[in-house]
Amino acid sequence: MATTIAKIFDSVLNSILENHCTLHDGQHGFTRGLSTETAIMSLKHTVKYYSDRRTPVYACFLDLSKAFDLVSYDIMWRKLEGVGLPDGYTDLLKYWYSNQANYVRWANEYSEPYRMECGVRQGGLTSPRLFNLYMDALIRELSSMRVGCHIGKVCVNNNSYADDMVLLAPSVSALRALLGVCEKFAVSHGLQYNTKKSQFMVFKAGSRCTSVVPPIKLYNEPLKRVYSFKYLGYILTDSLKDDEDIERERRALSVRANMLVHRFGRCTDAVKITLFKAYCTALLRLPRYCSASAMFALAGVDSFDAIIRKKTASLLNRVRGSGHSVLSEIADSGDCPLIKQMIARTMSCLIIKY
């Protein structure tokens, strides 16, 4: 547990690191203006770009074992010096990491203090940024290669969110070349990929699906092929359809709804409606006798279609204003799914209205 002073000090150092550490666009994790949403969008758009041209995409989802805990301090300090961080700040981080005391708490008892030999601080504000810097050289090396997926002049052969990396290639040989670079980087940086959790998927090229795939190996161990994968909380399938993820969300909503039903299960429908109206009127401070639809209309609550349109427009604006190379390529593309969806929804609403 860090003290208040340590947290403030960590926050100041994090701001300084942000000004000096320029990360590659392939990293979406813990980066201003980017998120799991942009990482998933980049991956899906890249796959769709190739599948529309009837070319399969081979994706490898890599799993690093205890990545944050295996960061080598010596390598980290060299990387900080390489980005031009003033020596004074690097020395501060060195002193902090070399003199921090760690304890294990169990049943209100504390172990003897010990020092960490590697790994960034758990819960530290600077820790995600330091880890991103640690992995940045790998992302840059992969992106500088002439193998893997490209959209226009932008390389998208890798997509990362912190320690979750996906390699994207239009052929098995290209994917093997990318995996070879990852293996060498892991060895030189004291990291280890988990071959049991690392898996690969072949996205369909149109309606075609590659049934036989040559072995794809990591550390000379064949990786398992999957047809769906939960990536950053979203279920990806080889057909790129959203059905499985929507079903997962529907089930989660049903669980929450069933909890309410169980709590008020013995009430009649009339009582349930009265409770719902009472809840809304109390929150919105509306008259006692007011219809449910009037409640939302008077409060200016958007309809479902309006919410979808606004969220789509908001996402498109963030993508276009991000300055991110891959996202800018997506937003400026004539076949951008976001633009198509906005036009389709707007036209459907106009047809219904008139």
Side-chain angles (χ1 to χ4, degrees), residues 45-337:
H45 184 81
T46 302
V47 174
K48 190 175 186 304
Y49 178 87
Y50 277 82
S51 63
D52 286 349
R53 290 158 178 78
R54 305 192 69 78
T55 302
V57 174
Y58 297 82
C60 185
F61 302 90
L62 295 173
D63 182 85
L64 276 171
S65 300
K66 300 180 180 179
F68 284 80
D69 297 331
L70 294 177
V71 171
S72 169
Y73 294 149
D74 291 337
I75 297 176
M76 175 59 67
W77 308 144
R78 290 199 297 270
K79 290 181 180 290
L80 286 172
E81 293 168 358
V83 299
L85 187 69
D87 294 338
Y89 296 111
T90 304
D91 292 339
L92 277 173
L93 284 167
K94 286 182 181 180
Y95 180 83
W96 195 5
Y97 270 85
S98 61
N99 288 277
Q100 64 179 347
N102 298 276
Y103 300 85
V104 175
R105 180 181 176 182
W106 181 264
N108 294 324
E109 296 292 334
Y110 292 87
S111 68
E112 293 295 323
Y114 64 94
R115 292 180 180 175
M116 299 295 294
E117 300 298 329
C118 60
V120 293
R121 297 173 56 251
Q122 292 188 8
L125 292 175
T126 54
S127 297
R129 195 170 301 279
L130 289 173
F131 180 80
N132 282 349
L133 176 62
Y134 197 79
M135 299 295 295
D136 192 61
L138 172 60
I139 297 174
R140 292 182 183 277
E141 183 176 359
L142 291 170
S143 300
S144 65
M145 299 172 65
R146 294 185 178 181
V147 298
C149 292
H150 287 71
I151 298 179
K153 296 182 179 179
V154 180
C155 177
V156 282
N157 63 8
N158 70 94
N159 198 61
S160 294
Y161 189 90
D163 59 337
D164 289 313
M165 176 178 280
V166 184
L167 302 178
L168 301 171
S171 66
V172 173
S173 59
L175 185 60
R176 286 171 174 169
L178 297 175
L179 282 169
V181 172
C182 292
E183 287 181 9
K184 292 178 181 178
F185 180 87
V187 172
S188 64
H189 285 69
L191 301 174
Q192 179 72 29
Y193 287 106
N194 188 331
T195 56
K196 300 298 181 184
K197 293 184 178 180
S198 297
Q199 300 171 333
F200 79 93
M201 181 190 298
V202 184
F203 289 98
K204 294 179 180 178
S207 58
R208 296 183 303 166
C209 181
T210 306
S211 57
V212 179
V213 180
I216 296 176
K217 299 181 180 181
L218 181 63
Y219 299 132
N220 209 31
E221 291 189 28
L223 299 179
K224 178 184 177 181
R225 179 181 179 178
V226 295
Y227 298 88
S228 66
F229 187 88
K230 192 171 184 179
Y231 176 63
L232 303 178
Y234 172 82
I235 298 179
L236 277 169
T237 62
D238 61 347
S239 63
L240 215 61
K241 293 181 178 180
D242 298 322
D243 296 22
E244 287 193 28
D245 194 67
I246 292 174
E247 176 62 18
R248 177 183 62 84
E249 291 288 354
R250 187 197 66 78
R251 289 180 179 179
L253 179 61
S254 296
V255 170
R256 293 191 290 270
N258 287 334
M259 291 175 62
L260 290 175
V261 170
H262 178 72
R263 179 173 295 181
F264 301 102
R266 296 183 179 181
C267 301
T268 63
D269 290 345
V271 172
K272 293 175 184 176
I273 293 172
T274 302
L275 288 172
F276 174 74
K277 288 185 176 181
Y279 181 75
C280 292
T281 53
L283 285 178
L284 302 176
R285 297 181 179 180
L286 296 173
R288 180 180 177 184
Y289 297 102
C290 180
S291 67
S293 57
M295 293 178 191
F296 295 113
L298 291 173
V301 177
D302 292 328
S303 64
F304 179 76
D305 284 331
I307 292 173
I308 292 296
R309 288 198 305 274
K310 286 185 176 181
K311 284 187 175 293
T312 304
S314 174
L315 179 59
L316 183 58
N317 286 334
R318 284 186 282 122
V319 168
R320 282 181 167 171
S322 67
H324 189 275
S325 60
V326 179
L327 297 180
S328 297
E329 187 73 23
I330 293 173
D332 296 336
S333 173
D335 59 352
C336 177

